């Protein structure tokens, strides 16, 4: 769905991020224009590569509102920045992808609880939404990406926390109830 505060912080740090990595930025439906404009303003329009049907541009900042094959993006990711919904936390930890989890700042804080165990295991970091700013991204994300040993360790810790047989386990439980 795209988080406005994450979109703003990451796209505003585009220049700093592109010194260290390629970016695949999934903006959420209808939010790609704002991100594209911010990246162009901060780092130049030539860095943008739209992942839409025309694949316009040849830059290293890839923008799309949504990806049908998120598994392919996760498969090549060194680090993911995302909200900490249960699905995201489960998918990333099962794949062993370290993440910066930014819980949604509403409700009873359940998104913090989703990410806490994998963060406690060393598979990611938790950053409050109000602390997740352009400055935080520019100062912390390039350093995380540069420390390949720590990033690999975080990926391993996420993997060791992740559950990869959940569908089989649930099917066994359901079938056990039917018998």
């Amino acid at each position: 769905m795209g988080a406005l505060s994450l979109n703003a912080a990451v796209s505003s740090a585009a220049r700093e991020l592109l010194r260290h990595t390629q970016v695949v930025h999934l903006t959420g439906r209808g939010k790609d224009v704002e991100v594209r404009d911010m990246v162009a303003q901060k780092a130049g329009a030539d860095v943008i590569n739209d992942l839409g049907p025309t694949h316009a541009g040849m830059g290293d900042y890839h923008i799309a509102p949504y990806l049908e094959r998120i598994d392919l993006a996760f498969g090549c990711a060194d680090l993911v920045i995302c909200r900490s919904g249960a699905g995201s936390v489960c998918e990333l930890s099962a794949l062993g992808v370290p993440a910066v989890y930014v819980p949604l700042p509403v409700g009873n804080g359940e998104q913090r609880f989703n990410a806490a165990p994998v963060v406690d295991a060393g598979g990611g970091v938790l950053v409050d939404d109000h602390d997740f700013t352009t400055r935080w991204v520019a100062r912390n994300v390039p350093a995380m990406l540069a420390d390949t040993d720590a990033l690999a360790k975080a990926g391993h810790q996420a993997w060791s926390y992740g559950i990869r047989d959940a569908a089989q386990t649930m099917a066994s439980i359901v079938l056990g109830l039917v018998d």
Side-chain angles (χ1 to χ4, degrees):
M1 292 176 42
L4 293 176
S5 61
L6 274 63
N7 283 347
V10 172
S11 62
S12 294
R15 182 186 324 272
E16 292 81 4
L17 293 173
L18 289 170
R19 290 185 187 134
H20 304 276
T21 192
Q22 289 187 47
V23 176
V24 175
H25 191 143
L26 304 182
T27 65
R29 188 183 332 260
K31 299 172 185 163
D32 52 317
V33 172
E34 293 172 22
V35 168
R36 189 177 302 106
D37 290 347
M38 183 57 69
V39 171
Q41 178 187 355
K42 297 294 182 176
D46 60 322
V47 304
I48 298 171
N49 181 357
D50 288 317
L51 293 174
T54 62
H55 295 282
M58 296 302 292
D60 284 337
Y61 201 106
H62 308 275
I63 299 172
Y66 179 80
L67 285 181
E68 289 289 332
R69 295 294 311 270
I70 191 68
D71 58 317
L72 299 176
F74 286 165
C76 67
D78 294 317
L79 178 71
V80 171
I81 298 171
C82 60
R83 290 290 188 204
S84 51
S88 296
V89 174
C90 290
E91 289 173 358
L92 293 170
S93 60
L95 294 169
V97 179
V100 174
Y101 294 109
V102 186
L104 190 64
V106 298
N108 64 2
E110 65 273 8
Q111 283 203 351
R112 172 174 294 284
F113 298 125
N114 293 336
V118 74
V119 168
D120 290 345
V125 297
L126 196 62
V127 181
D128 287 334
D129 189 77
H130 70 280
D131 293 329
F132 190 80
T133 62
T134 301
R135 185 176 188 170
W136 190 96
V137 172
R139 285 187 172 183
N140 292 283
V141 174
M144 294 169 132
L145 292 167
D147 190 344
T148 56
D149 290 337
L151 204 55
K153 183 178 179 183
H156 177 74
Q157 294 305 107
W159 170 266
S160 62
Y161 179 79
I163 299 169
R164 283 161 290 286
D165 67 345
Q168 181 62 41
T169 300
M170 288 300 293
S172 295
I173 291 170
V174 170
L175 291 174
L177 293 172
V178 174
D179 289 339

